[in-house]
Amino acid sequence: MNLMTLDFASAQDSHDGCDDASHNHAAHDNTAHHHAPAAKPAVPEEVQEAIRTLLRFAGEDPSREGLIDTPARVGRAWLEYCQGYREDPSVHLTRTFEEVGGYDEIVLLRDIPFQSHCEHHMAPITGKASIAYLPNNRVVGISKLARVLHGYARRLQVQERLTAEVAQCIWDHLQPQGVAVVIEAQHGCMTGRGVCTPGVGMVTSRMLGCFLQDASSRREVMSLMGRG
Ligand SMILES: [Zn+2]
């Protein structure tokens, strides 16, 4: 059958997927960098003091040398982790293409890596999402699906809501025949504390339209996602 399935690695453009804050650490700390670094956002003193309070609470001494710049770094890191609050993910779906050469099969972007943070512990959620839709004349550039995901992931989340928000955004703005989103992720609040279960992934899915109503369509998309 005809289908368009792309693994994320073959579809990403230069910026999609670059979520690793450690890249930015490296750039900030490298004073010999050739390009002028982007101006660092200011971190208000009350925010830095809150981080110092947390450090003391955890048993640290915020005045020791290695921690002097940590409150400002943490503040800037959280601006990045929560960048989605200053963004409307649906903007990525405004530019659509109607000339699709009669293509009327499932479009799937598979295994998109992402990072988010849980709203219960502010701990990292790391995982992969597969996003599929069955177009209704309109398609978007494939990397836009990843941008929608990151727009919602860069907020405090619970995995169920993240899954539902990505699906609903595509449903509302592309008006396709169906949307399927499956997310598998590990939660830092489970792997690093509490029950300490590294390696255990949580899977959530949201099906809309034909993938919700028609069992054979759902089987087809789940099998394309490698979950058949
Ligand atoms: Zn949590």
Side-chain angles (χ1 to χ4, degrees), residues 187-227:
H187 292 242
C189 57
M190 277 186 64
T191 57
R193 57 161 290 287
V195 293
C196 286
T197 50
V200 175
M202 172 172 163
V203 181
T204 48
S205 67
R206 174 57 63 101
M207 306 281 151
L208 296 171
C210 64
F211 299 127
L212 179 64
Q213 285 144 18
D214 179 44
S216 76
S217 297
R218 184 164 58 246
R219 268 198 304 277
E220 183 182 4
V221 78
M222 291 299 271
S223 131
L224 290 174
M225 287 177 175
R227 301 189 164 274

Side-chain angles (χ1 to χ4, degrees), residues 78 81 114-126 153 155-159 186-193:
W78 275 97
Y81 299 153
F114 73 92
Q115 188 182 55
S116 186
H117 288 83
C118 82
E119 69 182 22
H120 300 134
H121 303 89
M122 297 172 72
I125 301 172
T126 50
R155 303 174 185 207
L156 294 182
Q157 278 290 5
V158 296
Q159 188 177 325
Q186 296 196 9
H187 292 242
C189 57
M190 277 186 64
T191 57
R193 57 161 290 287

Side-chain angles (χ1 to χ4, degrees), residues 22-206:
S22 66
H23 291 309
N24 295 319
H25 270 245
H28 288 323
D29 294 345
N30 181 2
T31 49
H33 206 265
H34 290 296
H35 306 289
K40 294 177 185 177
V43 179
E45 177 52 32
E46 62 176 5
V47 174
Q48 298 196 41
E49 191 51 37
I51 306 298
R52 284 185 208 106
T53 301
L54 181 60
L55 285 166
R56 273 183 225 106
F57 178 65
E60 259 295 354
D61 169 11
S63 68
R64 79 174 170 84
E65 196 183 352
L67 294 176
I68 291 295
D69 295 327
T70 296
R73 283 199 200 95
V74 172
R76 285 192 296 272
W78 275 97
L79 277 182
E80 288 191 49
Y81 299 153
C82 289
Q83 195 182 314
Y85 291 126
R86 288 166 291 282
E87 180 182 316
D88 173 5
S90 71
V91 299
H92 303 299
L93 302 179
T94 50
R95 187 153 176 256
T96 61
F97 304 91
E98 299 192 4
E99 184 52 66
V100 292
Y103 186 85
D104 59 355
E105 297 286 347
I106 293 169
V107 178
L108 164 64
L109 191 56
R110 187 164 56 196
D111 294 338
I112 313 159
F114 73 92
Q115 188 182 55
S116 186
H117 288 83
C118 82
E119 69 182 22
H120 300 134
H121 303 89
M122 297 172 72
I125 301 172
T126 50
K128 289 183 173 183
S130 292
I131 303 174
Y133 66 104
L134 185 61
N136 215 349
N137 298 320
R138 296 201 296 170
V139 299
V140 283
I142 191 97
S143 72
K144 306 303 183 195
L145 300 178
R147 293 189 182 281
V148 170
L149 169 70
H150 295 314
Y152 288 109
R154 290 172 180 153
R155 303 174 185 207
L156 294 182
Q157 278 290 5
V158 296
Q159 188 177 325
E160 295 89 336
R161 188 176 64 228
L162 173 62
T163 309
E165 285 178 339
V166 171
Q168 194 66 41
C169 183
I170 295 165
W171 179 254
D172 290 342
H173 294 275
L174 291 188
Q175 297 168 340
Q177 298 178 59
V179 179
V181 177
V182 177
I183 293 180
E184 176 159 8
Q186 296 196 9
H187 292 242
C189 57
M190 277 186 64
T191 57
R193 57 161 290 287
V195 293
C196 286
T197 50
V200 175
M202 172 172 163
V203 181
T204 48
S205 67
R206 174 57 63 101

